Amino acid sequence: MTFHALHSGWHLTHVAGDVPETFAETTRSSIPATVPGVVHTDLLAAGLIPDPYIDDNESALAWIGHSDWAYETTFAWSDDGEAIHDLVAHGLDTVARVSLNGRELGRTVNQHRTYRWRLGALLREGDNVLRVEFSSPIAYAREREAVLGERPHSYVHPFNTIRKSACNFGWDWGPAVVTAGIWRDIGIEGWSDVRIAALRPVIGVDDDPRRVDVHVELEWQALDADAAGTGAREIVAEVAGARAAASVAHGDARATLSLRAADAELWWPCGYGDQPLYDLRVAVGEVEAGRRIGFRSVRLDVEADEDGSPFALAVNGRPVYIKGANWIPEDTFFPRVTRERLAERFDDAVDANMNLLRVWGGGIYESEDFYDLADERGILVWQDFLLACAAYSEDAELWDEFAAEARDNVARLTGRASLVIWNGGNENIWGWVDWKWRPRLRGATWGDGYYQRLFPEIVAELAPTTPYSPGSPYGFSSYVHPNDPAHGTTHIWDVWNQVDYDVYRTYRPRFVSEFGFQGPPAWSTLFSVVHDEPADPYGPLMLVHQKAQDGNGKLERGLGAHIAAPRSIEDWHWATQLNQARAVRFGIEHFRSLHPLNQGAIVWQLNDCWPVISWAAVDGHGHRKPLWHALRAVYADRFVTIQPRERGLAVVLHNDTDAVWDAALSLRRIGFEGAVSADEPVTVSIAPRQAVTVPVPDTVATASDPARELIAAELSTEERALWYFAEDPMLALEPDGFEASAVATDAGYEVRMTARSLVKDLVLQVDRIDATARVDRGLVTLLPGESETFTITAPAGIDPHVFTAPGIIRSAGDLNPVRV
């Protein structure tokens, strides 16, 4: 079997659609095109459009999504000795007509599928012309809405009528840059006699993590009548020292081989063990196919108990407390996302002590690189089917596309050690119950058939050992509200949208699969794309990069009593970043303190797809926001927090490791200048994967001066939690209660900070010196006399003292009102 990639020699032409005079040059001739790629990136590379991410170029370029485009290449072909040739397109975005040498091969209406067309005599010796014509996805979506009927959906365009990434039409964190193009590999596959059409390993059969059933689909070359049906072939599967073989006759479409790799080591999530992976090889004669697999079993417990219904994952029989983040596409222009870029985000996840990423339903089924990295790093994957925040028609045309898309991707991803749950969609069941859809639908279908019948049937057939959830949020009962925190998964969005983040403490959720709070990206990221003069949170170009409804108003109201009103654009940027980190940390500390009632949280969101004010922990240029540093602390394996309880304050310790956590715990009430008013020692022992609660004695819990005291719960194993008796504006924080020094090193730079008095939530905004600069820690609180060294990676030649300048070093204290 051979594969000839068709990635060179392409040209792009505007076919139809109104083009503003400013961009008339784009219609005059074809331009070179990159495949895989999309129209926007080709126009950008040709210098015909400005960067869509800068200022308000997004709206200036909206015409691209309303236009029709054509990709064309001429390629030379000569006989390669194979009997059959297929054109294989792994991703066409989205409404396409494909032709070879002037003859139509087929049409597509689904971005999320692989397509295959038999070429036969259309493929000729010498030059061949391959053409892919793309119709406007916006026009197609509106046309189908007129046929299928209008159904509720978020935002402007009816993305629920077309099988294209929903967020590509714009979201409350993403731009509406509606793409078209050959976005994944395309090429000619040649084969003879037999082709392994699909290889689907099902791991953990009968709850045995070392057992794998290898399902193989075969396609055979048609033989003449005299030769048809003659002979048999051996099909062999091998993995981790185990081997199985069977006989298949010519024309057999399927074969299943069962193996038990007794000597294989088990695959574990990060923090629970190693991630050994093994090469699975399947051969029919000389034809081979393979995958890399890990051995593990997965269980999801949703059975009712006295507190409601849990949502608890177990891998290899061991419960796993989930510390996760939601994942959106890493770039609005999907072909620009490389393995290296994905690896950086996985570094962000692992370094923040995360163990799960949820691939959200408004995005895409991710690349092989994504799942490879998840398998290698031990990051569990929760995979949504791609439906989000909308009602979906169940008419045959969409039903058939959903079925083909689901079968394609479930089969592709079955056998991934990291993939531990398939989820029917995002907020659609909740929408039907709570968002006043029913009067508008008037009895029309809305998607329930996908969540309750189509998807679970496909998962049960193709991935029977992987758990399935109909939606997120979901209560796992017809008689339970889908967003009831006591049952299954819950999304908490009244915080951010309506109420203060202290409301998190009113929840007792079994599992939180979405929640979060907004904050701006790094200074250099934000002002690389926003050029209002003067800079203003409400400047017109700033608001292009704030997609949430009344987003800036919510940011400012969200400061509440926690942080004083900002006095400058610099303070606004820092205050809202800090508040984002504080809000999310507040929520997760509370959720973890409820363990084992609570079995995890998945914050919205890890990453951004462009430079924007959003819920992300890592911005569109790869800068780790203060939120990321908060997540690293609150997702630590050994976690300690001080929480209010009915009888007063308590220290809660959660040991998410396999070792007993024995430590001496010191409970101290300390003045901001260092004086200790009370000190109570306690010895604690926390069993593996368990939590304990220790009451705080009244001598420590009662402040004599709430504005100048705090509680420190400090362990001999170096973990620490702090409690303040008042919000920041009421605290006597010094804006510059520290000494700072900086030096250049062989690896970059170091800044040494020493506190004279309490320094709360210390951050170095090193990107303001150089946009490529990174710092290894943030949100550091120093008690009087304590020191911390910050390591900075930045280009050589910078005067190190600039890293200690006012405006680069920020803390909670420099936001406080000036005290007379």
Side-chain angles (χ1 to χ4, degrees), residues 324-326 354 492-493 495-496 500-502 504-505 512 514-519 555 558 562 576-592 601-606 614-617 625-635 639 641 643 779:
N326 284 270
M354 294 179 184
I492 301 177
W493 284 119
V495 175
W496 165 252
D500 190 88
Y501 67 70
D502 61 7
Y504 281 134
R505 283 210 182 113
V512 188
E514 266 192 34
F515 71 105
F517 211 91
Q518 263 204 0
L555 281 174
H562 309 294
T576 52
Q577 276 203 331
L578 176 60
N579 202 51
Q580 176 188 33
R582 293 255 190 96
V584 173
R585 178 167 184 157
F586 185 100
I588 297 177
E589 288 203 18
H590 169 64
F591 304 150
R592 283 195 75 172
I602 309 176
V603 67
W604 187 272
Q605 64 212 60
L606 175 64
S614 84
W615 294 263
K625 294 160 66 171
L627 170 59
W628 182 90
H629 295 281
L631 290 172
R632 179 170 63 172
V634 80
Y635 277 159
F639 163 78
T641 180
Q643 294 287 318
L779 288 186

Side-chain angles (χ1 to χ4, degrees), residues 533-544:
E533 291 292 346
D536 187 318
Y538 290 89
L541 301 178
M542 183 75 81
L543 293 179
V544 171

